[in-house]
Amino acid sequence: GWGGAQAKGWHVDYDLQTQLFLDRTYLFVSPNRIQRQGDPDSPAPLVFEGQFAPNLFLPQLRRDDFKQDGRETLFSLVFTPNIRLRMLNTDSNPILPPSYLPKLTLQAVHLRLFHGPDAAGPPRMLSLGLNVIGGHYSNGEDGCFFANQTGKDPNCEPAEGTLPLNEITGSFSTNLLRFELHGRLGFNVDPHRVSAWLVGANAFYELNSSIGPGGMSPAQRQVYGNGHWGLGLVGERAVNGNRFRLEGAYSHPFGETPHQRGTLSVEAAANPRWASGFGVFARYVRGQDYYNILFLERISLWQFGLVFDLNPGPRLKTDGDKPPGFQ
């Protein structure tokens, strides 16, 4: 950054932003099949699925310097053009309508080192994050929402459709406002070697909106719901910049008719330092399908593949053996 030599006070980082509590990029396969109403090949084998979510930072505002003070507060504005793709092993139209989820995240993060029970032992680390997200979620289709309707959205007949959904060409679109809270506690922290034990939790609350272009229609709101809430737990071991993560998440819609069950996922991942952010992962997902208009389909999926998640450790790595702020 260009904050100058002083650690105290406010600084602007133009080219070395710290990435925490943001979306990851995934590319994976699954031995399980994908179900779609109205597809004669359903359930169909999955060739691959991907979530492509580069996090594009504007200049990051920072108070203090973790490397010198052992504490740091960050304010970020991040644009993420999140796109999800599914390709099925079928003779025609193998790529399903993509999920487009562009979003703008206003993020506040606080990092701090502090003494553990043994003042002479390795320090602990606390990281807290708040994300306020505005986004849009759609599949780019213009077909009618319900399978018994004809025409193009929003000019569909009959005007009041009934289930099942048109899962082949049906339009799915909503704007959203999402709030996320994240927390991590690190034990046996070694900022010089980028090693630690980490445990943490997160929670989110998401509201669907009909305001603005691409807002949710009344018909979709009745079935998809007013929003979602969710909780997550994570444990991670970092050793010399190599990361090993185990994470669980649960989410549930609210305000929907008919009632939908929640979705549970468990993920294990390994990101070696030499892979520059790339790693391998395995995940199990059970509950409602998360892929746009397929949200009424029940899934039980094993997923295996690559994950890309930049390591914030090098940005926070210190040069000396003594923890910053403990001199």
Side-chain angles (χ1 to χ4, degrees):
W2 294 89
Q6 297 297 320
K8 300 292 184 182
W10 292 97
H11 312 266
V12 178
D13 289 323
Y14 296 98
D15 54 5
L16 196 61
Q17 293 90 342
T18 303
Q19 178 164 304
L20 288 165
F21 310 134
L22 295 171
D23 287 342
R24 307 181 185 102
T25 289
Y26 292 93
L27 184 64
F28 56 88
V29 297
S30 173
N32 306 110
R33 292 173 175 255
I34 302 299
Q35 175 74 37
R36 288 200 304 166
Q37 287 278 351
D39 184 352
D41 296 319
S42 182
L46 180 72
V47 176
F48 77 87
E49 183 172 333
Q51 172 176 291
F52 307 97
N55 296 302
L56 310 178
F57 280 81
L58 276 72
Q60 191 172 60
L61 184 63
R62 171 172 54 86
R63 182 174 177 82
D64 301 328
D65 190 327
F66 182 85
K67 291 186 176 183
Q68 298 185 44
D69 308 320
R71 67 175 64 188
E72 190 169 284
T73 301
L74 304 163
F75 293 93
S76 308
L77 190 61
V78 186
F79 175 64
T80 306
N82 192 329
I83 299 175
R84 299 170 185 164
L85 293 176
R86 265 186 191 169
M87 182 175 182
L88 304 183
N89 187 7
T90 58
D91 293 333
S92 62
N93 298 324
I95 296 183
L96 304 190
S99 288
Y100 303 102
L101 217 173
K103 56 187 179 179
L104 193 65
T105 301
L106 178 62
Q107 182 184 73
V109 171
H110 180 70
L111 307 171
R112 173 174 292 196
L113 285 175
F114 60 95
H115 287 289
D118 181 4
R124 295 182 178 181
M125 178 178 174
L126 178 67
S127 56
L128 300 172
L130 169 65
N131 292 346
V132 180
I133 301 168
H136 172 76
Y137 184 17
S138 66
N139 65 354
E141 293 293 303
D142 62 358
C144 295
F145 188 62
F146 294 102
N148 73 321
Q149 294 175 310
T150 59
K152 297 290 186 180
D153 183 65
N155 301 311
C156 295
E157 295 292 338
E160 299 293 332
T162 58
L163 294 175
L165 301 180
N166 175 11
E167 296 182 357
I168 307 302
T169 62
S171 172
F172 174 94
S173 183
T174 182
N175 296 322
L176 59 90
L177 180 64
R178 180 180 173 110
F179 302 90
E180 297 178 353
L181 287 174
H182 299 265
R184 299 284 190 278
L185 183 61
F187 301 89
N188 295 326
V189 177
D190 186 339
H192 178 57
R193 294 178 176 82
V194 195
S195 297
W197 289 93
L198 297 162
V199 294
N202 58 77
F204 79 85
Y205 185 78
E206 181 177 294
L207 291 170
N208 298 317
S209 174
S210 59
I211 300 173
M216 175 178 281
S217 68
Q220 182 177 323
R221 179 180 296 277
Q222 180 180 2
V223 185
Y224 187 59
N226 294 322
H228 289 74
W229 61 267
L231 302 169
L233 296 173
V234 60
E236 185 171 329
R237 174 59 170 156
V239 184
N240 297 322
N242 303 293
R243 293 172 293 152
F244 305 91
R245 174 174 52 87
L246 180 63
E247 187 168 358
Y250 178 81
S251 64
H252 202 290
F254 60 89
E256 78 285 3
T257 303
H259 174 73
Q260 301 170 39
R261 300 179 187 177
T263 299
L264 177 69
S265 67
V266 179
E267 178 178 327
N271 292 74
R273 182 181 62 84
W274 52 263
S276 301
F278 283 98
V280 295
F281 83 98
R283 178 168 55 201
Y284 177 69
V285 187
R286 182 178 180 86
Q288 302 297 133
D289 201 333
Y290 50 83
Y291 196 84
N292 58 68
I293 203 169
L294 302 185
F295 62 88
L296 288 183
E297 296 290 347
R298 297 290 295 168
I299 58 172
S300 179
L301 303 176
W302 287 97
Q303 301 168 338
F304 307 94
L306 299 176
V307 57
F308 182 78
D309 183 22
L310 282 175
N311 188 354
R315 164 66 179 79
L316 305 174
K317 183 179 185 297
T318 59
D319 297 326
D321 291 328
K322 192 77 171 177
F326 282 59
Q327 286 83 353

